[in-house]
Amino acid sequence: TFKMTGMSLLQSDLEKTELTLNPPEGIVAGPIDEENFFEWEALIMGPEDTCFAGGVFPAILSFPLDYPLSPPKMRFTCEMFHPNIYPDGRVCISILHAPGDDPMGYESSAERWSPVQSVEKILLSVVSMLAEPNDESGANVDASKMWREDREQFKNKAEQLVRKSLGF
């Protein structure tokens, strides 16, 4: 069954991948509990040399039952202000968009989800997104506008979020 395939893939993603053996710098992720491999929590550190540097941002990855045919959804569970993150925390990034051609003609199918992607690749893509927002397809219109028109104000807002993420 699909559920078994998705679950065994997620288990092997956890056990055999770099995520556990040699996690990429600034990323920690794993199932919320051993009973449910379809809900993962992640901690993403703000990338060095960006306005998010030093922050620790928690997120949830929710995997569909037909994973890996369909992509997981990812949502930051802390306050975020970023062109590619909806105000409710949902992440809008090509790698998490359904496979195939983009109905809007904006993304190539190669940029979108495919069953060969891994949890690690998703999280690394999100770290890159934090460092280099795509203001062309803004999930948060206010953040996109500020990123384009007032970078200094955007940096200040991001630095406030970093302090908040650390409990200051």
Side-chain angles (χ1 to χ4, degrees), residues 147-162:
W147 173 258
R148 276 194 304 270
E149 297 171 9
D150 190 348
R151 194 67 57 92
E152 206 48 47
Q153 189 184 356
F154 183 89
K155 282 181 180 169
N156 291 339
K157 189 137 177 90
E159 287 162 5
Q160 287 172 353
L161 292 175
V162 166

Side-chain angles (χ1 to χ4, degrees), residues 78-109:
C78 60
E79 186 183 339
M80 290 299 277
F81 186 77
H82 187 282
N84 309 116
I85 301 171
Y86 288 99
D88 68 1
R90 284 176 301 133
V91 174
C92 179
I93 189 173
S94 304
I95 194 173
L96 294 178
H97 293 164
D101 291 323
D102 180 4
M104 307 300 273
Y106 179 72
E107 302 163 337
S108 77
S109 60

